[in-house]
DNA sequence: AACACAAACATTGTACACAATACTAACTCC
DNA sequence: GGAGTTAGTATTGTGTACAATGTTTGTGTT
């Protein structure tokens, strides 16, 4: 265990920290930042399955009160990203093999329908835009560390779902993507080219062809390949909380 | 508008109110009661779409602090049962026509898969048990007021989903059932025999036959019939908060 | 009368204090 | 030495005060 770096930050000079954040217009007041920050950490693989999320630690790391931390954790628990036990606190879920297959299976079900709706609604313009996104992602991955690859890969699936107007399925997918990230964190194999950009381009091309059935099959295979690359026998061990948020400037 | 009945209850003599509640082992401390109570009110049609849920009102009605109310509302907002706007409070959602169709559509998608898994996993014993549940429901409906019919009908779908081991889809359905209740509340037609018990028995029989395809078709038709019975032109107006919780003993 | 502005009110957001519960470790007794 | 017990510590649960924001009402001006 790494020694605790943060102590407590009673200096609350600038409470106007409420940047508009980038997503989740739903109820984002201040906990939205923390919520997104933890989600990002999971997508970037800085937070591993099984990590205990203590309220005091998070509140001192992010210089917010426990009230805010609490809200963020509650939201994450409803996303099935963390598991809250009544008087025992919150930990990041550790999906077992059954759960791992379930998550991928539900993704296939959901994304099969989403890509159906997306194919029907897609325009040349929207597809070109999507292609540009994948391009940008590829460039970013080349430049940055390997961890971000997975994160951006998940972004593609969410971007794609935006072509549909089904907000219910979109929200399900937004929960499933970080869950998938945790599954991958637990069962990844050495070669972590899990979600290749080429396959994403292929998916876009199939959508462009307008063949709904083919698009569904393409997506299904894509997700199946991800599952196939996992090693459902070897589990990785939990990581450290403070290492995950080392980049957060502590105002103590 | 009905005059406000509750004022405030500062007498908190028995804080050991923490009955184990009946469901949601997830994080049920004290807010679980409120969460279930509001959910029940929606399923029983005592709470209508569009009702504003003020924190102070709920806290005085149920004799709990705003902290607890807040937690319950946050959970409901994640279930897409209530809509929380940053500094404007929470209201029960009023699904528009597009949203209504979407909810029913997603239910078809989810329940088609759930009934597939249920059919595979079903045993004679589990089906008999399910039949007994529907029997009990039918008796209860005969005895009680009409409002509870819908509530128990939703219970059948959830009970049925329990035959599957897919907890992800089960949780989706648990959110969709109250949402459906709100859809029905908004677009119901005079004859509210929405979810007939006979159809439920038919579904069980098809599952018993082991024919997965037939079971899926049966469920799909069942849900389609519900949608067909709705009048997607006429909307009902919001109801009253205090009337919904008149049965709650106020300790003021 | 209609609009603009401002003050009073209502409601939600956040922090913190204390209570309740779980965890840890030291101690006793067998 | 080991298991059970009990104090002490750590962590979460809840209530409440105050701050920030939204809403409404009232007033004055055009």
């Amino acid at each position: 265990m790494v020694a605790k770096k943060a102590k407590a930050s009673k200096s609350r000079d600038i409470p106007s920290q409420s940047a508009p954040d980038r997503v989740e217009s739903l109820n984002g007041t201040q906990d939205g930042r923390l919520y997104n920050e933890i989600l990002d950490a999971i997508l970037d693989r800085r937070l591993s399955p099984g990590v205990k999320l203590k309220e005091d630690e998070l509140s001192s790391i992010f210089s917010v009160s426990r009230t805010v931390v609490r809200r963020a954790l509650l939201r994450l628990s409803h996303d099935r990203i963390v598991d809250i036990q009544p008087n025992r606190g919150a930990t990041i879920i550790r999906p077992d093999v059954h759960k791992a297959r379930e998550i991928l299976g539900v993704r296939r079900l959901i994304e099969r329908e989403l890509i159906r709706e997306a194919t029907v609604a897609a325009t040349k313009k929207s597809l070109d835009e999507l292609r540009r996104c994948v391009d940008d992602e590829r460039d970013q991955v080349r430049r940055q560390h390997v961890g971000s690859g997975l994160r951006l890969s998940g972004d593609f699936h969410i971007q794609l779902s935006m072509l549909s107007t089904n907000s219910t399925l979109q929200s399900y997918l937004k929960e499933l993507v970080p869950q998938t990230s945790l599954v991958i964190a637990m069962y990844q194999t050495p070669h972590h080219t899990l979600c290749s950009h080429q396959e994403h381009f292929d998916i876009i091309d199939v959508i462009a062809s307008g063949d709904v059935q083919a698009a569904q099959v393409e997506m299904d295979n894509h997700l199946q390949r991800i599952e196939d690359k996992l090693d459902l026998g070897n589990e990785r061990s939990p990581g450290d909380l403070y290492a995950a948020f080392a980049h957060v400037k502590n105002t103590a």
Side-chain angles (χ1 to χ4, degrees), chain A residues 66-236:
Chain A
R66 273 183 56 220
T67 308
V68 175
V69 174
R70 204 142 237 290
R71 255 180 94 87
L73 289 177
L74 186 58
R75 290 175 63 184
L76 289 166
S77 87
H78 205 303
D79 289 344
R80 284 155 215 284
I81 303 300
V82 309
D83 176 46
I84 296 183
Q85 296 288 352
N87 275 302
R88 318 268 226 79
T91 57
I92 299 185
I93 60 160
R94 306 186 83 242
D96 57 21
V97 175
H98 175 268
K99 190 80 186 175
R101 290 192 193 282
E102 184 182 300
I103 289 167
L104 269 300
V106 173
R107 273 195 72 162
R108 276 207 291 279
L109 181 72
I110 302 294
E111 296 210 55
R112 198 183 306 139
E113 172 63 14
L114 277 170
I115 204 171
R116 191 189 68 73
E117 299 183 16
T119 304
V120 173
T123 63
K124 182 158 188 345
K125 184 164 158 291
S126 62
L127 288 175
D128 283 343
E129 202 174 327
L130 200 57
R131 257 186 274 259
R132 216 172 315 125
C133 285
V134 181
D135 259 330
D136 291 347
E137 288 176 8
R138 193 177 44 187
D139 292 347
Q140 276 186 266
V141 171
R142 290 221 180 96
R143 216 166 293 129
Q144 294 180 358
H145 55 289
V146 287
S148 63
L150 178 59
R151 184 260 173 69
L152 296 165
S153 168
D155 280 351
F156 165 76
H157 287 256
I158 288 173
Q159 290 277 350
L160 180 55
S161 78
M162 294 300 181
L163 296 184
S164 148
T165 59
N166 196 321
S167 60
T168 302
L169 292 183
Q170 280 164 8
S171 67
Y172 291 163
L173 183 61
K174 275 188 196 147
E175 295 175 15
L176 287 165
V177 164
Q179 284 173 17
T180 307
S181 184
L182 291 172
V183 168
I184 291 171
M186 284 196 72
Y187 304 105
Q188 73 167 352
T189 47
H191 45 84
H192 41 58
T193 54
L194 284 151
C195 222
S196 85
H197 294 100
Q198 185 53 53
E199 289 184 19
H200 288 173
F201 280 123
D202 292 344
I203 289 170
I204 297 175
D205 289 341
V206 181
I207 293 175
S209 79
D211 187 339
V212 172
Q213 292 255 328
Q216 290 182 307
V217 170
E218 188 76 22
M219 176 60 86
D220 211 88
N221 288 341
H222 175 57
L223 291 170
Q224 183 64 57
R225 268 187 290 264
I226 294 176
E227 188 171 343
D228 289 343
K229 279 181 193 147
L230 297 176
D231 176 14
L232 294 170
N234 188 20
E235 295 181 0
R236 291 190 49 194

Side-chain angles (χ1 to χ4, degrees), chain A residues 4-108:
Chain A
K4 299 188 179 183
K5 280 178 273 182
K7 190 66 177 302
S9 60
K10 279 163 193 160
S11 63
R12 223 171 310 99
D13 312 309
I14 329 155
S16 58
Q17 182 77 2
S18 61
D21 281 306
R22 63 174 170 291
V23 282
E24 292 294 339
S25 62
L26 228 304
N27 60 14
T29 36
Q30 186 170 347
D31 57 284
R33 178 189 161 222
L34 188 47
Y35 176 82
N36 285 323
E37 200 83 49
I38 293 176
L39 229 42
D40 283 358
I42 289 170
L43 291 171
D44 286 346
R45 306 275 303 282
R46 303 195 308 274
L47 272 178
S48 309
V51 173
K52 179 83 185 286
L53 299 175
K54 290 181 193 170
E55 300 180 356
D56 272 338
E57 289 183 352
L58 285 170
S59 75
S60 61
I61 289 176
F62 289 97
S63 307
V64 292
S65 94
R66 273 183 56 220
T67 308
V68 175
V69 174
R70 204 142 237 290
R71 255 180 94 87
L73 289 177
L74 186 58
R75 290 175 63 184
L76 289 166
S77 87
H78 205 303
D79 289 344
R80 284 155 215 284
I81 303 300
V82 309
D83 176 46
I84 296 183
Q85 296 288 352
N87 275 302
R88 318 268 226 79
T91 57
I92 299 185
I93 60 160
R94 306 186 83 242
D96 57 21
V97 175
H98 175 268
K99 190 80 186 175
R101 290 192 193 282
E102 184 182 300
I103 289 167
L104 269 300
V106 173
R107 273 195 72 162
R108 276 207 291 279

